[in-house]
Amino acid sequence: MEQLILDLKQQIIEVLNLEDVKPEDIDENASLFGEGLGLDSIDALELIVLMEKNYGIKLRDPSQGKQIFTSVKTMAEYVAANRTK
Amino acid sequence: MGVFIQSSAQISIQEPLCNNYVTKPVLHDEPYVRAIECDYKAFIDPISARRMGKILKRAIAVSVTALKASNVTMPDAVITGTGLGCIENTEKFLSAMTMEGEEFLQPAFFINSTHNTISSQVAIYLKCHGYNNTYSHRGISFESALMDAFMQFETGSAASALVGGDDEMTPGYFALLDKLNYWKKSAGGPGAMAGETAVAFVLSNEVSPVELSGVEILFKPTADEMNRRLTAMCERRGISIGDIDAIFVGRSGDVDGDRIYDAFCGKFFPDREQFTWKKLFGESFTSPAMGMYVADELLRSDRKPLLKHVLVYNHFQNKDHSLILLSKC
């Protein structure tokens, strides 16, 4: 799980072009949206693309997103349970 | 009511956000050079910048710099000309479509692949809710934006405007144009040196040292049509063609394109002083913005005190021609 969390942090930094942010700067339990990393709805779309492209996960129920993208840790848990690649 | 240039700023293949090109020009031997970037963190926080390509960062940096140098805090209009818009992000988006079989497309690249992103992003950054437009008409994109601004002033719709000319040159697009012999391969041969342009002008109806006296855009003009439009533009300013003291011509070193400038200057201004800018700033769709920048700077300086009226003349593939008349006040 630790490696998956690190991978996700690196991928988030890359796809969201978070210049000057390092993986260790991201608290895996902190909120991704709002106060934490301060991401917005367009970033949510980028994360959905990331999940599908890198892990073969298609989010069919939009209401799931809020829970899945709560933090890097919740993302990692969902990826670990649902990944197809 | 006149239209006056209050201030300007540039990012190009010369040192950015300054006029060091006058005394310490950066000389380039290669036909393809990217712009010299400034420190964008001084203008845009990293979170806001994360979705911006180079062209947007440059447009915002020159806009903010020009506004700070003027007494205009919030322009009535933001108008931009760009030949290709955010081509770097467009290429990323199209490449992803090809590589990923039209799946996994990243929304930020798509958002920034539209041309009108530039003016809108500048306006969002400035929190400017006024008139907003981006013109994308290949070699006359900047002049179209400038003409729009000019008409906004003439109709009283705006008392101030931020007008920009922005284009980036990606390796991919350079390579495509290179196949068409667009870029110089040998000295004395066809082709020009590529450049990247990001220029912003703050215009207002408050008197300043340099007035934007006229803008004309012509499509495949005959010599008679050019004469008629040039004469009419001068008459609107209350002068004649003979009162124009110097010409800034868009000579790029491309032997074919330069013949057009030779013919124009030979017919209308055989004995007038000529200046060029593309040898320092390169060629791009919006390079006439660079020409106006250089002309404005020279009029403000004391290097040529006798200059009163100057004309910036450019053509794009001998189809689209533009005339920009500047006057010292």
Side-chain angles (χ1 to χ4, degrees):
Chain A
M1 182 62 80
E2 277 187 23
Q3 184 58 48
L4 179 57
I5 287 174
L6 179 62
D7 290 345
L8 277 171
K9 287 179 179 178
Q10 288 169 337
Q11 290 158 9
I12 289 169
I13 289 168
E14 185 187 341
V15 298
L16 302 186
N17 196 24
L18 298 172
E19 290 178 6
D20 300 331
V21 176
K22 297 185 179 77
E24 54 267 34
D25 297 333
I26 302 175
D27 180 348
E28 65 221 48
N29 294 305
S31 174
L32 286 171
F33 297 86
E35 286 186 6
L37 265 185
L39 306 185
D40 59 23
S41 58
I42 296 173
D43 295 315
L45 290 172
E46 298 278 8
L47 295 182
I48 289 169
V49 173
L50 182 158
M51 298 269 273
E52 186 173 352
K53 185 176 175 182
N54 295 357
Y55 302 104
I57 297 171
K58 283 194 174 184
L59 291 180
R60 300 196 184 281
D61 181 2
S63 63
Q64 284 184 302
K66 196 169 181 181
Q67 190 181 348
I68 296 165
F69 296 130
T70 300
S71 66
V72 174
K73 191 173 183 184
T74 58
M75 270 185 79
E77 288 168 352
Y78 189 83
V79 168
N82 295 279
R83 66 188 299 172
T84 60
K85 63 178 180 182
Chain B
M1 182 174 64
V3 181
F4 300 89
I5 302 172
Q6 301 300 327
S7 58
S8 58
Q10 62 85 22
I11 292 176
S12 66
I13 62 175
Q14 294 295 316
E15 282 189 51
L17 305 179
C18 66
N19 290 328
N20 287 354
Y21 69 90
V22 175
T23 52
K24 292 186 294 179
V26 181
L27 302 176
H28 301 285
D29 295 326
E30 299 297 317
Y32 179 46
V33 190
R34 299 301 299 260
I36 302 172
E37 311 287 358
C38 67
D39 179 12
Y40 296 109
K41 287 175 193 159
F43 300 92
I44 316 160
D45 70 81
I47 291 294
S48 300
R50 73 189 191 278
R51 289 193 198 115
M52 294 180 183
K54 288 189 179 78
I55 192 170
L56 289 178
K57 291 177 185 172
R58 291 173 191 163
I60 286 174
V62 294
S63 298
V64 171
T65 303
L67 281 167
K68 278 184 179 170
S70 75
N71 52 9
V72 175
T73 51
M74 186 61 74
D76 292 339
V78 177
I79 310 172
T80 304
T82 176
L84 290 169
C86 305
I87 186 68
E88 194 152 33
N89 278 352
T90 305
E91 283 181 353
K92 285 178 183 173
F93 181 72
L94 293 175
S95 296
M97 281 181 79
T98 308
M99 300 292 285
E100 307 288 351
E102 301 191 20
E103 290 185 74
F104 313 128
L105 301 178
Q106 290 184 253
F109 291 152
F110 173 69
I111 292 165
N112 285 339
S113 69
T114 57
H115 288 80
N116 62 355
T117 302
I118 300 177
S119 271
S120 58
Q121 286 289 333
V122 170
I124 288 167
Y125 180 89
L126 297 174
K127 296 183 173 57
C128 174
H129 300 279
Y131 179 80
N132 191 282
N133 218 335
T134 302
Y135 287 87
S136 189
H137 300 321
R138 300 225 290 175
I140 50 165
S141 299
F142 170 71
E143 296 91 319
S144 302
L146 195 63
M147 180 167 281
D148 185 359
F150 203 75
M151 291 192 290
Q152 296 289 327
F153 281 91
E154 280 192 331
T155 58
S157 302
S160 63
L162 178 67
V163 181
D166 302 280
D167 265 305
E168 54 189 355
M169 182 63 65
T170 63
Y173 195 66
F174 177 87
L176 283 176
L177 291 178
D178 197 37
K179 289 179 181 175
L180 300 172
N181 294 321
Y182 207 84
W183 308 120
K184 190 166 282 303
K185 291 184 170 61
S186 63
M193 177 180 75
E196 293 190 298
T197 302
V199 186
F201 296 95
V202 177
L203 308 178
S204 88
N205 53 16
E206 188 178 316
V207 176
S208 80
V210 179
E211 180 179 3
L212 173 62
S213 298
V215 186
E216 289 286 334
I217 297 172
L218 304 88
F219 180 68
K220 292 185 176 178
T222 61
D224 287 346
E225 172 71 358
M226 180 63 86
N227 183 39
R228 192 179 65 76
R229 297 278 291 275
L230 184 55
T231 302
M233 182 171 69
C234 289
E235 285 176 351
R236 280 195 296 277
R237 181 58 174 77
I239 63 173
S240 67
I241 293 177
D243 293 321
I244 293 175
D245 302 305
I247 319 298
F248 285 76
V249 282
R251 279 200 183 89
S252 64
D254 171 37
V255 289
D256 295 330
D258 287 355
R259 285 192 196 105
I260 309 303
Y261 296 110
D262 295 340
F264 175 85
C265 292
K267 180 170 179 57
F268 297 105
F269 305 101
D271 55 351
R272 240 56 62 82
E273 191 165 12
Q274 294 178 22
F275 300 94
T276 60
W277 69 89
K278 291 182 185 174
K279 284 178 184 171
L280 286 181
F281 294 95
E283 179 71 283
S284 75
F285 288 112
T286 44
S287 67
M290 221 57 252
M292 179 167 142
Y293 179 92
V294 170
D296 172 66
E297 191 282 330
L298 186 62
L299 281 176
R300 284 168 196 270
S301 76
D302 55 5
R303 300 196 302 279
K304 293 282 181 182
L306 297 180
L307 294 185
K308 171 72 175 164
H309 303 287
V310 302
L311 183 73
V312 182
Y313 168 57
N314 192 72
H315 76 81
F316 178 73
Q317 297 180 346
N318 197 19
K319 293 176 184 169
D320 298 303
H321 297 244
S322 65
L323 306 166
I324 301 170
L325 181 63
L326 301 183
S327 304
K328 187 189 278 187
C329 299

